[in-house]
Every structure is written in C-alpha cells, then in structure tokens.
C-alpha cells in the first residue's frame, strides 16, 4: 500500500509515543490500568481476610485438639489405674473375684468398664460383665503381643450384642517368678472416647477420632455418625507444643471427601493418638459473604470504568474500524485472487500452474546442486464409476478425502497438487535414490486403499501411480511430467493399484497403445470384428446344448489382435459399449439363422464386462435386439464375472432381476477364483455356474483343485443351477467331471472356437450322429475343423 511522507520541515514523531497517543490504544490502556489497580486492591483485601479466617480456623482446630487430647488422657489414666489395681489385687489375692473389687468401689462402674481376666491359654476366667471378644483371646494378636510386652495393647474394635463397637485394652499378668500368667482385659464402648463431640464447636462435618499408634482408627465421629475400623496416615498432621496455628494442614483425602483442617497429637504415655478436624467449608462460611461483597464492589467499579472508557473511545474506534476494514478488504481480495490463481477450488491443493512453477524452481535447484527429484502422477481407479453411480457430490467428497490422505503420506518439503478430475501429482524435491520415491508410492497406495465412507456407505478405491525421476527420465518440466504420465498408464494397464517407474520401453508401449486405441475406434465401422463359437456339451448325452460367442479382431494394420490386448483398452476407453451391442446383435441373429436352417435350438452365451453391466442402456438394448432379431429370450445367456456380484450387491441384484424379467439366462463366469459365499449366491437369480478353467486344468495334479471342483458342483446342485466346466482339455478331466455329476463341459478336448458356418455344420451333423460312448465325451475323431 502506498504511503505519503511527512513534510520535511516537521520533526519526525516518535513511533511509540504516536502509538500510545492513538485513542483506540489510549482509552483501553487507561481502562486496563485502572481496572488492574481495582482488582489488585480487591485481591489483597480478600487474601488478607481469607488468611485471617484460615488462621483462626487452624487455631480452633488446635484448641479443640488440646481439649480432646486431655479428655482422652484422663480416660486412659483411668484405664491404667484400673490395670494397676487389678494387677496388685491379683498378686495378693489369687483366689478372689473381680466382683469383690467392683463391690468395693475399686473399679469404675460396669456401665463404663468391663474388666476380665484371661489365663495363659487365652481363656476367660473371671469378668465383671461378659464382653464380646474377651471370652477367647487365644491366638489373637492382642494375646500374642502381651505375652512378651509389658505395655497396654489395644485390640481392633469388635461389635457388641446391641451393635455398639467395643474396644479391648489388654495388659500382661505375671506370676511370682515373673513368667506370663495371663492378661487383664478392660472393655469399653468405643463411642465413650468421642462422647464429648459438640456440634456448636465442630459443626456438622467436624471430626474427632482416636487412633492407635499404627494408624488404625479405633473410633471416630463426624456429626451424628460414629465409626470404627480402617487405617489413617495421621503423621503429616502431628503437632507439638511448638507448632504454630498456621502450621495446621488441610486434610483433603478424608474418606467422605470433605476437606478439613486436621491436627493430631500423641497421648503421652499411651499408644494412642488423638485427632481433631474442622470442615474447611463450614469454617470459611462466615467470611464468604464479606468476600462476596468485596468482589461485587470490584465488579461494579470495573463495569463503571469500562463503560466510561468505552464511551470516550467510541468515536475513535469507529474511525479506526472503518480504516482497518478498507485495508483488510484490499488485502483479502488480493490474497483470494492469488490463491484462486494457484490453488484448486475443491481440495485447496496447488493447481497445475503452481505445480509447474514449483517444479521448474526445484529442477533448477537440482541442476545447481546435482540432486535428484521425483514426480509421481496419481490416477484414481474406478473414480468415474463412483461419480456416475453416486453422483458428483459423493465424487467431490472422495476427492477431498484423497487430498487429505496424500498430504499425510508425504513430507512437509514435498508438494501435492491436483491437476484436474481424479488426477493428482506429487513432487519429491529431495531424494537420494529412486527407491525413495517407491517408498512414498507404497505409502500412498496403502493410504488410499483404506475404505472410504460416502453417503453412509463404505467403498474401496485404488490408485495407479507413475514415477519419473530427474535427471534420468527428463531434464525439463514437460518431459518429466509426460514420462511420469506414461508410467502411470502402464501401472493402470498392469492391473491397477500399483506403481511403475518410467522406462524407454514404456514409451514404446504407450505409442503402441495409442495406435491400438486409434485402430480400435475404427474397427467396428470397418467391419473388422468377427465372432467364433465354442460348443458346450451335455455330459450325459454328449450333444451340443449351447455355445459361447467369442470376439476376434482381424486388423489390416495390426494383424490378428488377441482379446487380452484389445478388450482392456476397449473397456477403459468406453468402446466396449458399442462393441458389446454389435456382439449381442450378431450372436442373436446367428442363433436364429441356425434354427431356421434346421439345427436344434440352443442357447448362446455372451460375456458382459463390468463397463457394460454398469451401462444404463443395457436393458433397453437387450430388449430391442431380441425384438429386432426374433430370438426367444431364454436362448440368450449372459456371463458375468464373480467380481461383479460382490462389488455392489444391491445394484447388481437390481440389474440381474431386470434381465431375468426379460427371460434371459444368467451365468457366473470363472467361478472358484473369488470369494462369493453360498449365502450371497442365493440372493441372485442365477441359472448357471461356470467353473474356472484354471481350477479344471489343475484337477489331475492338485487335490485342492479337485476338492474345489467337487464343492462347486455340490453347491450348484444345492441351488438347482446348471454347472458347466470350461477349459476341459484331457480325457482324465472329462472323466472326473462325469463321475462327479457335472452337467455340461466346454473346452479344446471337444471343440475349439469355430467360425459360424463351421459351427452350423457341426450342429446339423450332431442331430443324429453324436452320442455318449462312455469312453470319450462329444465328437468322433472326424469332427469338422475350425
């Protein structure tokens, strides 16, 4: 954008000062500073108030702990006094009863304490009142510990007859020689140690607890709930007389998940720990309204400041916005124009122009630094079929997804572009050897092979890739691109879903293919095609029951061209559609001519390629040709490959059902090489299964092929279909098929493909002469030659 210079007589303005003087910056800056000060002051006040409240709560916790520890110590001293009294009395009066001490008011009332004596075998010998858990201590940890230790041991709480929890305090008794003579057990309700819980001080979630030295919870109370059992780690919360209130810590991992200030202290002289805790929420509830008032005041001041600054800067903001909008529109328009000029509108990838520019630049760099680079042309297989079947919206979705997958398959330094349609190209500017490009091609093929989801259905698409490497396959842009394109077509011709590097032989093949396609386009109008017919014989009688029409091409320029050479070209170029119509019309007319000449009626089979099968005009053409030639529909049979059945089951079923409604027979060709299941076959209106010739020819040499043939025949019988074995070349194969009840046979063992006039003579001759001899099926040795 052009700018105008300031007058030379004016001093240049400082950029920072000028920027700050802008109203669009000045007023928001003032607002930010003032609001920051407001919230800084509010934060400091609330922090101070909160700290004071927390310290007060910690102090209350420490105070409650001191009171609770004193209460526990008083109770423990009473227990210790009772131990001493019983021990002294027992030493001087071994035959006395504990009730004597109780009657003499030497023991606390039985409502508080229950005192029991246990002999050295662990059996209760005397008690002031029966206490569950004290009758039999033999084998318990309490009994075993006090055998050798002259200290008080507290047994884990046990449940009394009315559901209350009881604590047993055990101490060792000795005889006159100092040997272990039993134990004194004092039992009391665990709740006694938390009976001093006051809700006014502790709140609804405060806590008092008595723990053993190892952390076992002897009794605890929070609100109205009194519990025993479990183990707590109290050591992080131990306090001493020197501990400050602010050192009291928050206990967050409580069993009920209520955070509390907690403080614990050992009871001097006894193996117990007192713990007091106050709920954080309850202790802080008093300060929350005050803190909320501070926050509301700060929010009100913030709002007032923001409104004032917004009002003062409104006009300046409008002016700046208008100026900025004009600038952004100019920049956005320029960027969009440039992007559209060099990028594909659908996928966002670089287009042909940008790719050419980048390729030329990298070729110059490769020449300068003596490096290699590779160009990979990518063409999607079966894209037109998906586009025609599912619509352009699904096709666009597929192209977008492919573009994303290509980007994830290459490095950041590589370039992915779309040339148009379903053609993509990748430039690999830095490779050390040609194999690097092969690795990328394999990644691309694997990425594209992952199923696509289009309009709610899953589809599989493959790709064919051609690779040209600089400088071996071209030293300029056009040559490199042309050779990569030639290699791509070779990859497609070799079965698709693979990659090929360019070579000189590919260039020759490419020219040969162009010549073949050019001649093929004129072959139909020049009447260069002809049909041959190969007989299908019934195995039980040897008579001819059908024939298959086979296409042959006699080109004056190329000579005899094998079907495997020109059929794929016709399929790919779309010429198979008019050629297929010619085959259908010619075969139907020939069948009618044979019948009129006196030959027995038979059905004629015609192969349908995938391109013909997907043609929308197929049904219309079949119906019209049958009417035109006068052939009855049941004498026409279409052979389709097994792969057509499983590509799109619903669409295939629709087409086959329509053909069957015309009366045409349907056969599966080359069965046994695919993966069609019995369940799938049952869905289609089929008449015939033709066993693949590779399976038939391997019957004698391979038990697997023999087993597969037997299985296919059995499957056909179960489905009430006619089973035809094609490619029969030996008597052993024919005999095997006869023994396994195959219906019909076809192959060189009986007849090679014949011209229509020769096949007509064979039909007429077979009316009375051909029989099944049991040794050889079909013709006698003097059969007419092709």
């Amino acid at each position: 954008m052009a700018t105008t210079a300031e007058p030379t007589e004016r001093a240049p303005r400082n950029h920072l000062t000028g920027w700050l003087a802008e109203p669009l910056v000045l007023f928001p800056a003032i607002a930010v500073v003032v609001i920051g000060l407001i919230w800084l002051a509010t934060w400091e006040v609330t922090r101070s108030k909160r700290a004071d409240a927390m310290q007060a709560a910690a102090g209350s916790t420490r105070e409650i702990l001191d009171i609770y520890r004193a209460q526990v110590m008083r109770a423990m001293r009473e227990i210790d006094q009772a131990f001493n009294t019983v021990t002294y009395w027992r030493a001087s009066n071994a035959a006395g009863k504990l009730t004597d001490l109780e009657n003499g008011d030497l023991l606390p009332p039985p409502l508080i304490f229950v005192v029991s004596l246990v002999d050295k075998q662990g059996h209760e010998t005397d008690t002031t009142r029966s206490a569950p858990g004290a009758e039999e201590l033999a084998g318990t940890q309490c009994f075993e510990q006090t055998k050798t230790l002259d200290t008080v041991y507290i047994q884990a709480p046990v449940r009394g007859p009315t559901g209350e929890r009881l604590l047993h305090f055990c101490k060792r008794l000795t005889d006159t020689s100092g040997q272990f003579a039993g134990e004194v057990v004092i039992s009391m309700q665990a709740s006694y140690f938390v009976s001093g819980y006051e809700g006014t001080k502790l709140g609804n979630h405060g806590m008092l607890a008595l723990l053993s030295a190892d952390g076992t919870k002897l009794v605890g109370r929070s609100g109205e709930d009194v519990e025993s059992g479990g183990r707590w780690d109290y050591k992080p919360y131990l306090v001493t007389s020197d501990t400050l209130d602010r050192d009291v810590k928050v206990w967050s991992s409580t069993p009920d998940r209520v955070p509390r200030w907690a403080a614990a202290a050992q009871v001097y002289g006894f193996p117990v720990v007192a713990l007091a805790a106050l709920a954080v929420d309850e202790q802080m509830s008093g300060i929350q309204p005050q803190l909320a008032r501070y926050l509301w005041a700060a929010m009100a001041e913030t709002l007032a400041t923001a409104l004032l600054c917004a009002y003062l800067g409104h006009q300046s903001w409008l002016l700046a916005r208008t100026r900025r909008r004009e600038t952004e529109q100019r920049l956005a328009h320029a960027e969009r124009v440039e992007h559209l000029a060099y990028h594909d509108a659908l996928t966002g990838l670089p287009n042909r122009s940008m790719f050419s520019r980048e390729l030329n630049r990298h070729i110059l760099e490769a020449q300068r630094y003596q490096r290699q680079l590779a160009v990979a042309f990518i063409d999607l297989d079966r894209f037109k079929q998906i586009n025609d079947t599912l619509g352009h919206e699904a096709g666009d979705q597929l192209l977008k997804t492919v573009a994303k997958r290509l980007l994830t398959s290459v490095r950041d330094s590589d370039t992915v572009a779309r040339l148009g349609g379903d053609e993509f190209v990748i430039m690999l500017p830095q490779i050390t050897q040609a194999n690097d490009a092969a690795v990328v091609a394999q990644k691309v093929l694997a990425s594209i092979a992952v199923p696509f989801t289009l309009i709610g259905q899953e589809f599989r698409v493959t790709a064919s890739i051609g690779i040209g490497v600089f400088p071996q396959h071209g030293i300029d842009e056009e040559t490199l691109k042309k050779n990569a394109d030639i290699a791509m077509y070779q990859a497609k011709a070799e079965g698709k879903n693979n990659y090929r590097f360019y070579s000189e032989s590919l260039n020759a093949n490419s020219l040969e293919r162009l010549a073949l396609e050019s001649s093929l386009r004129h072959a139909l109008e020049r009447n260069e095609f002809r049909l041959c017919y190969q007989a299908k014989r019934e195995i039980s009688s040897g008579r001819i029951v059908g024939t298959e029409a086979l296409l042959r091409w006699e080109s004056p320029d190329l000579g005899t061209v094998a079907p495997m050479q020109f059929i794929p070209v016709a399929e790919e170029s779309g010429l198979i559609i008019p050629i297929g119509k010619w085959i259908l019309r010619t075969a139907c007319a020939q069948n009618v001519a044979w019948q009129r000449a006196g030959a027995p009626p038979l059905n004629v089979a015609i192969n349908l390629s995938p391109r013909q099968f997907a043609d929308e005009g197929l049904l219309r053409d079949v119906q019209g040709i049958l009417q035109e030639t006068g052939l009855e529909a049941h004498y026409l049979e279409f052979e389709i490959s097994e792969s057509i059945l499983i590509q799109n089951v619903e669409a295939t079923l629709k087409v086959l059902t329509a053909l069957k409604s015309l009366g045409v027979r349907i056969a599966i060709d080359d069965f046994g090489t695919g993966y069609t299941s019995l369940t799938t076959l049952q869905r289609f209106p089929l008449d015939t299964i033709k066993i693949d010739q590779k399976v038939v020819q391997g019957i004698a040499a391979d038990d697997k092929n023999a087993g597969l043939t037997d299985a296919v025949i059995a499957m056909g019988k179960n489905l009430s279909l006619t089973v035809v074995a094609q490619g029969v070349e030996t008597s052993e194969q024919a005999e095997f098929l006869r023994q396994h009840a195959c219906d019909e046979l076809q192959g060189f063992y009986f007849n090679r493909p014949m011209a229509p006039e020769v096949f007509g003579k064979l039909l007429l001759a077979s009316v009375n002469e051909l029989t099944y001899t049991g040794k050889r099926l079909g013709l006698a040795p003097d059969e007419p030659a092709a």
Side-chain angles (χ1 to χ4, degrees):
M1 183 176 62
T3 57
T4 304
E6 293 287 341
T8 54
E9 62 271 11
R10 293 179 56 182
R13 186 172 59 178
N14 183 278
H15 291 291
L16 179 60
T17 304
W19 179 75
L20 291 175
E22 289 288 339
L24 190 61
V25 177
L26 178 61
F27 291 108
I30 293 174
V32 170
V33 172
V34 174
I35 292 173
L37 292 175
I38 291 172
W39 283 101
L40 181 63
T42 303
W43 178 81
E44 183 61 31
V45 171
T46 55
R47 186 195 62 79
S48 176
K49 294 293 184 181
R50 187 184 296 274
D52 292 342
M54 293 173 64
Q55 188 171 357
S60 298
T61 305
R62 178 63 182 272
E63 180 181 351
I64 292 172
L65 174 65
D66 292 340
I67 296 173
Y68 180 54
R69 180 173 59 176
Q71 294 173 350
V72 172
M73 184 176 294
R74 185 164 55 251
M76 294 300 296
R77 285 176 177 172
E78 291 182 7
I79 294 172
D80 190 56
Q81 181 63 36
F83 274 131
N84 293 335
T85 300
V86 173
T87 302
Y88 177 77
W89 170 80
R90 185 65 178 170
S92 59
N93 190 4
K97 295 293 185 180
L98 291 174
T99 53
D100 297 335
L101 288 175
E102 188 176 36
N103 294 334
D105 293 332
L106 296 178
L107 292 177
L111 292 177
I112 300 176
F113 285 0
V114 176
V115 182
S116 302
L117 292 177
V118 177
D119 61 17
K120 60 183 179 179
Q121 282 77 33
H123 307 305
E124 184 180 82
T125 59
D126 192 9
T127 181
T128 58
R129 180 165 57 89
S130 178
E135 307 93 333
E136 188 67 37
L137 292 180
T140 63
Q141 190 172 6
C142 175
F143 185 75
E144 297 301 326
Q145 288 285 341
T146 52
K147 277 185 179 182
T148 57
L149 300 177
D150 194 19
T151 58
V152 176
Y153 185 85
I154 305 173
Q155 187 177 350
V158 298
R159 193 175 294 278
T162 59
E164 75 279 8
R165 297 273 185 171
L166 297 179
L167 293 176
H168 296 310
F169 298 84
C170 306
K171 191 169 183 180
R172 181 172 181 265
L173 283 177
T174 58
D175 54 18
T176 56
S177 62
Q179 299 297 317
F180 175 72
E183 295 181 1
V184 180
V185 181
I186 297 178
S187 305
M188 59 189 304
Q189 292 185 4
S191 59
Y192 174 79
F193 287 94
V194 290
S195 59
Y197 187 97
E198 296 184 25
T200 56
K201 292 184 178 181
L202 290 165
N204 295 327
H205 296 287
M207 181 182 290
L208 292 179
L210 182 67
L211 312 175
S212 64
D214 62 356
T216 301
K217 183 174 70 172
L218 303 176
V219 64
R221 178 174 178 179
S222 177
E224 297 299 326
D225 298 330
V226 179
E227 298 179 347
S228 299
R231 189 180 297 273
W232 289 352
D233 184 12
Y234 63 85
K235 294 181 181 179
Y237 311 103
L238 282 174
V239 297
T240 64
S241 58
D242 299 331
T243 303
L244 299 176
D245 293 343
R246 65 172 178 267
D247 295 333
V248 176
K249 301 176 182 178
V250 175
W251 185 16
S252 300
S253 59
T254 55
D256 56 3
R257 305 299 181 188
V258 177
R260 296 179 175 90
W261 274 287
Q266 294 181 341
V267 179
Y268 301 119
F270 300 97
V272 293
V273 176
L275 184 143
L278 296 177
V280 173
D281 291 342
E282 291 179 344
Q283 296 303 309
M284 297 298 292
S285 60
I287 193 64
Q288 294 300 334
Q290 186 177 2
L291 297 179
R293 287 195 296 272
Y294 291 144
L295 293 177
W296 277 110
M299 291 173 64
E301 294 169 359
T302 299
L303 180 60
T305 302
L307 290 175
L308 178 61
C309 291
Y311 174 76
L312 295 175
H314 180 64
Q315 296 301 324
S316 298
W317 176 79
L318 288 177
L319 180 62
R321 185 185 64 172
T322 302
R323 193 164 54 233
R324 184 171 58 253
R325 182 182 298 170
E326 293 175 353
T327 303
E328 289 176 350
Q329 287 177 348
R330 287 195 298 269
L331 292 176
H333 179 71
E335 291 175 357
R336 179 169 178 78
V337 169
E338 183 178 5
H339 187 273
L340 291 176
Y342 292 105
H343 289 81
D344 175 53
L346 178 63
T347 62
L349 295 176
N351 60 13
R352 186 183 298 271
S353 299
M354 186 173 182
F355 181 79
S356 296
R357 186 178 67 178
E358 289 297 304
L359 180 57
N360 279 314
R361 181 172 66 86
H362 283 288
I363 287 176
L364 292 175
E365 291 183 359
Q367 289 174 338
R368 182 181 308 157
Y369 299 107
Q370 296 184 349
R371 293 197 301 241
Q372 296 186 83
L373 66 84
V375 173
F377 267 51
I378 303 168
D379 187 82
L380 300 182
D381 305 326
R382 297 179 56 241
F383 174 75
K384 187 177 186 304
Q385 181 179 351
I386 290 179
N387 217 21
D388 294 342
T389 305
L390 304 181
H392 291 284
E393 183 177 352
D396 290 347
Q397 180 184 348
L398 174 63
L399 292 175
K400 291 178 182 178
T401 307
V402 169
K404 293 178 181 178
R405 294 187 183 182
L406 291 179
L407 290 173
T408 60
S409 302
V410 299
R411 304 166 299 182
D412 293 338
S413 59
D414 301 333
T415 300
V416 179
R418 181 188 176 208
L419 302 183
D422 61 338
E423 293 183 345
F424 296 84
V425 63
I426 298 176
M427 178 176 60
L428 310 173
Q430 296 180 5
I431 60 172
T432 57
Q433 54 184 350
N435 190 54
D436 295 343
V439 172
V440 175
Q442 291 170 350
K443 291 176 60 178
V444 169
L445 292 175
S447 175
I448 295 178
V450 177
F452 293 83
T453 301
L454 305 174
I455 61 173
Q457 299 184 36
E458 188 175 279
F459 293 89
R460 293 182 180 272
V461 177
T462 58
S464 300
I465 303 177
I467 304 173
V469 180
F470 172 89
Q472 297 94 313
H473 304 150
I475 58 174
D476 59 81
E477 174 208 351
E478 289 301 326
T479 304
L480 201 56
K481 288 165 57 177
K482 181 194 70 173
N483 291 340
D485 195 28
I486 292 173
M488 181 268 292
Y489 277 107
Q490 182 64 25
K492 190 176 290 287
E494 292 181 357
K496 306 176 182 179
N497 194 27
N498 61 3
Y499 68 91
R500 281 295 305 268
F501 282 90
Y502 172 78
S503 65
E504 291 297 333
S505 60
L506 290 185
N507 193 23
N509 292 338
S510 178
L511 295 175
E512 181 181 345
R513 184 187 181 281
L514 290 175
L516 181 65
E517 182 176 344
S518 177
S519 298
L520 189 61
R521 292 185 181 277
H522 301 288
L524 193 58
E525 62 188 47
R526 294 173 180 172
N527 199 25
E528 297 175 1
F529 291 118
R530 62 183 181 89
L531 291 182
C532 291
Y533 299 88
Q534 187 175 34
K536 292 190 291 184
R537 294 181 177 271
E538 187 178 57
I539 196 168
S540 59
S541 64
R543 67 186 181 90
I544 299 175
V545 294
T547 183
E548 180 179 357
L550 302 173
L551 181 63
R552 298 293 184 262
W553 180 20
E554 297 290 345
S555 171
D557 300 324
L558 305 176
T560 302
V561 185
M564 66 179 60
Q565 288 183 277
F566 70 85
I567 291 296
V569 177
E571 178 80 9
E572 184 178 337
S573 62
L575 294 173
I576 194 66
I577 301 299
I579 294 174
K581 294 179 184 179
W582 178 86
I583 295 173
L584 179 60
R585 181 178 291 105
T586 304
C588 290
Q590 183 63 65
N591 197 356
V592 172
W594 286 331
Q595 293 182 29
R596 291 174 179 173
L602 78 166
N603 66 71
V604 60
I606 298 173
N607 286 283
L608 278 183
S609 71
R611 189 70 171 266
Q612 291 175 273
F613 192 81
D615 182 29
E616 296 180 354
L618 175 63
L619 295 175
R620 182 180 66 252
D621 294 338
V622 172
Q623 190 172 18
I625 291 174
L626 287 174
Q627 293 177 353
E628 175 187 336
T629 59
L631 180 68
E632 296 181 29
H634 63 274
Y635 290 132
L636 175 63
E637 183 175 73
F638 284 123
E639 295 184 1
I640 62 174
S641 64
E642 190 178 356
S643 60
I644 293 180
L645 290 181
I646 60 177
Q647 280 184 359
N648 190 335
V649 174
E650 298 302 327
T652 302
L653 181 60
K654 182 178 179 181
V655 175
L656 293 182
T657 303
L659 288 174
K660 285 297 293 182
S661 67
L662 298 178
V664 176
R665 294 174 57 85
I666 306 297
I668 302 179
D669 195 15
D670 298 332
F671 189 80
T673 58
Y675 302 95
T676 310
S677 64
L678 179 61
T679 305
T680 304
L681 285 179
Q682 288 176 327
R683 299 188 60 186
F684 298 107
L686 304 176
D687 299 287
T688 304
I689 294 179
K690 297 190 69 174
I691 306 174
D692 183 72
Q693 62 179 357
K694 294 180 181 178
V695 177
V696 172
Q697 292 170 2
I699 287 176
D702 191 345
D703 292 338
K704 292 182 179 179
N705 284 332
L708 178 58
T709 304
D710 193 20
V712 173
I713 295 174
M715 181 186 297
K717 297 297 183 181
N718 289 334
L719 296 176
S720 300
L721 302 177
T722 301
V723 181
V724 179
Q726 57 183 340
V728 179
E729 296 182 353
T730 65
S731 58
E732 291 81 3
Q733 296 168 359
E735 182 61 23
F736 176 89
L737 294 167
R738 184 190 66 79
Q739 292 176 359
H740 289 77
C742 183
D743 296 311
E744 298 176 9
L745 305 178
Q746 176 184 351
F748 288 178
Y749 179 64
F750 307 105
N751 299 105
R752 294 181 177 274
M754 304 176 182
E757 58 275 8
V758 178
F759 190 81
K761 294 178 181 179
L762 179 63
L763 285 178
L764 293 174
S766 66
V767 174
N768 298 316
E769 295 178 3
L770 297 178
T771 58
Y772 173 68
T773 65
K775 297 182 179 179
R776 178 181 178 189
L777 305 178
L779 292 176
D782 57 346
E783 63 179 2

